[in-house]
Amino acid sequence: MSRRVPALVAATLVVSLATPVFAEKMNISYPETSRVDLVETQFGEAVPDPYRWLENDVRTDKAVAKWVEQQNALTQGYLAQLPQRQWFADRIKTLMDYERFGLPRKAGAHYFYMRNSGLQNQSQLFVRDGLNGTPRLLIDPNAWAKDGATALDAWVPSRNGKLLAYSIQDGGSDWRTIKVLDVATGKVLGDGVLWAKFTNIAWVGNEGFLYSRFPEPQPGAEFQSLNKQQAVYFHRIGTPQSQDELVYATPSDPELGHSAQVTHDGRWVVITTSKGTDSRYAIHILPVRKDRKWQAQTLVGALDHAWNLIDGIGDALYFVTNKDAPRMKVVRADLKKQGLYRIACEGSAKTDDVCLESRPEFTDIVAERAETLDQAQIVGNRLVLSYLKDAKSVAEVRALDGKPVQQIALNAIGTASGFSGEPGDPETFYSFSSFNQPSGIYRFDTRTGKSEPFAIPKLTFNPADYAIEQRFFTSKDGTRVPMFLVRRKDVAQAGKAVPTLLYGYGGFDISLTPGFSAVRMAWLEAGGAFALANLRGGGEYGKAWHDAGRLSNKQNVFDDFIAAGEYLIAEGVTPKSGLTIQGGSNGGLLVGAVVNQRPDLFAAGNAAVGVMDMLRFDRFTAGRYWVDDYGYPGKEADWRVLRSYSPYHNIKVGVDYPAMLVTTADTDDRVVPGHSFKYTAALQAAKAGAKPHLIRIESRAGHGSGKPTDKAVAEGADVLAFLAQWSGLEVPRSEK
């Protein structure tokens, strides 16, 4: 265990052993958890941290590994006795057992897409020669690991479709390994790229690709050390990684992160630079030269605004930005028209190379409007725009000069995504999903304006049996906040209060929109209600909505969530004894914070992979990025805000808490599991009532992505059974 203490901190350390804590009514005896008498004085306040040792890596610290083993044994023993568990496992498995497809991607004459037959642990990658060609299996990640925990992450075909670069995720970690295969033969080439993370794969012609990586970490520190010095490299096919060319880096500012894109016409490399999680970017561009010399030139220097590349056509680059437009607009930088580049770059003998000489002005193409612009693509000679209207998708087509062409009919409350394509090719694909409708894939022709189904799932339930409403409730300060409410129609028509699962996030400019979940559908099938609250801190209403829920305004997020729960009770949707809550990552923080602030309001909660120690989050892996939303623990003003709501530091001793199931995973290197370990240990020691306070720790899993189907089914059944037990939700008797 590290004993390093910052200069402003004085610490004392004495090891002791806690006495067992009992949840007597449930006959639960929590495992003993060692305490350290560690007290740090921060900004004049003494802050105990008795479970600091649980921050250590479970792979290398035997004491932490033993604690995890004991906690899992207790939790699994408890969950195994719940009468609802098997019903939920069976229903979730059945609801997942349908053929589903990912969005197709076209390259050359090939169409690439993901497919899962139903219950495969990992989806497979297929390719067709032509839109209606015979599908051919290209990659089957189910053969990569016996436990199904090694996943195909990103995959990008070369421009001509003959090669495919793909990244592999193992055990849920954020680290990626990139490999290349020959599409015609399916043979994996000798190329291999290690230590890629938070990366795009951007092909330069057909000869190689750009990617982002960090320096190789020290042995044993792969899953906890801070991520710094990210750089963009070019990997040329057929060469070892040691020969990869450094394209862009900022060694003088190691906290900057960089990702690369290449315009579809292959003319420009666009490097997007950020420092944290805020949408504040610098943009550098590099002309793609025949001699492959990399000369970055500044397009946008200051980290002040969002600049999301749409694409480039010749010397025009299109972006979505929030500069002077909090809900986003489309702009164009016309490099040639403004005389901002010249032929024959200095030091190059190639006459068709280009170099930027000064920064261009940006021309507004599509102005900001009341709805938030969520996504933009160039397909054919059209702009395809997707907006959020009260967190629901609306889509439209415009000419490249911004003139309206047509609306895209979606005809339901839901989420549309995709619309990717190429300039000059009018074909695009998009998916549409909702709470009662898994993603269907549609082909859209920008010339005719017509959509046609490409892959529509065959379901084991009737979507028409479920009612989806959007309601608005008033938060503590009078702010009007939207909420989606989903129930079986017979339940809604009966008007009876039923156990309700309330979900929230509220952070990082992330919008929560309607989407399908087999786990949530099982809850609805059992007769429960599901509510999704669009809290401040998200991106549903643009920059102002995000700003209203971060830094010193973070309490607004908790107030919104509490108000959502109070609304559901007041409106007779749920009885007070039936309100359960759930959130993951920043949403896990949300659950921990509101349970501390209003333990009387909730029957049960699931805090998943949560950020629970707000005074030390910036010391591990990607945690340093989150200061944009949370603030700096090393700055007194920010520290005092963080201290006021940090879940680990604000548990109320001797107060009755709702039943809590904390979930995390041993390979989570996004939010390290030590957050959940420390929080659970503190909650169990607090004598916080008779209801159980348990932790479920998945092995060989991470923050969520890449989780195999069998693990997802098991975790979903455990969580729902726990919440049902403490909210009074009874599963249908005929299927118990």
Side-chain angles (χ1 to χ4, degrees), residues 30 66 224 282 448 452 494 565 623:
Y30 297 122
K66 182 178 180 181
Q224 290 199 319
T448 65
E452 58 185 27

Side-chain angles (χ1 to χ4, degrees), residues 8 10 36 63 109 124-125 191 240 258 309 312 329 347 432 448 553 618 623:
L8 70 156
V36 293
Q124 300 169 314
L125 179 65
D191 302 72
H258 314 288
L309 177 69
K329 64 181 179 181
F432 183 81
T448 65
N553 294 323
D618 60 338

Side-chain angles (χ1 to χ4, degrees), residues 41-271:
T41 302
Q42 303 179 21
F43 303 110
E45 180 177 339
V47 182
D49 191 1
Y51 304 109
R52 175 77 60 85
W53 65 276
L54 285 172
E55 293 178 352
N56 292 347
D57 194 333
V58 65
R59 296 165 195 77
T60 58
D61 190 304
K62 292 182 179 179
V64 176
K66 182 178 180 181
W67 185 88
V68 167
E69 181 182 1
Q70 292 174 333
Q71 291 286 340
N72 266 341
L74 171 67
T75 299
Q76 291 302 326
Y78 174 84
L79 294 173
Q81 300 177 38
L82 298 181
Q84 306 94 332
R85 188 190 196 194
Q86 190 58 52
W87 186 90
F88 278 121
D90 292 342
R91 288 309 303 154
I92 294 169
K93 188 174 182 179
T94 299
L95 288 163
M96 282 188 174
D97 193 7
Y98 66 92
E99 186 181 32
R100 49 193 179 272
F101 293 84
L103 284 164
R105 184 177 301 172
K106 184 179 180 182
H110 302 304
Y111 289 79
F112 301 83
Y113 61 93
M114 299 292 289
R115 174 190 175 272
N116 192 306
S117 62
L119 294 176
Q120 291 172 302
N121 272 326
Q122 302 292 344
S123 295
Q124 300 169 314
L125 179 65
F126 285 80
V127 62
R128 294 182 187 177
D129 296 330
L131 182 61
N132 298 311
T134 302
R136 175 165 55 92
L137 178 61
L138 198 59
I139 297 178
D140 182 10
N142 295 289
W144 290 347
K146 290 182 179 180
D147 64 356
T150 303
L152 172 62
D153 179 50
W155 49 271
V156 183
S158 60
R159 295 281 300 154
N160 59 15
K162 293 183 178 181
L163 298 176
L164 182 125
Y166 61 98
S167 58
I168 299 171
Q169 178 186 25
D170 185 58
S173 169
D174 280 335
W175 291 113
R176 300 292 188 267
T177 299
I178 302 176
K179 294 189 176 183
V180 180
L181 62 73
D182 182 291
V183 172
T185 65
K187 179 182 178 182
V188 178
L189 306 184
D191 302 72
V193 168
L194 303 176
W195 306 115
K197 181 186 278 195
F198 310 138
T199 182
N200 294 329
I201 298 173
W203 281 90
V204 179
N206 301 300
E207 65 193 71
F209 56 85
L210 300 165
Y211 68 96
S212 304
R213 61 159 294 182
F214 291 92
E216 181 177 352
Q218 294 295 318
E222 298 91 341
F223 299 100
Q224 290 199 319
S225 61
L226 283 171
N227 301 145
K228 292 186 177 183
Q229 293 287 14
Q230 189 181 38
V232 175
Y233 285 84
F234 174 67
H235 175 77
R236 193 179 302 274
I237 301 302
T239 64
Q241 185 175 7
S242 60
Q243 294 181 15
D244 287 358
E245 302 166 19
L246 178 63
V247 174
Y248 190 79
T250 51
S252 61
D253 194 341
E255 293 191 348
L256 291 177
H258 314 288
S259 62
Q261 296 167 273
V262 178
T263 57
H264 273 97
D265 60 9
R267 189 172 179 83
W268 296 98
V269 174
V270 178
I271 305 289

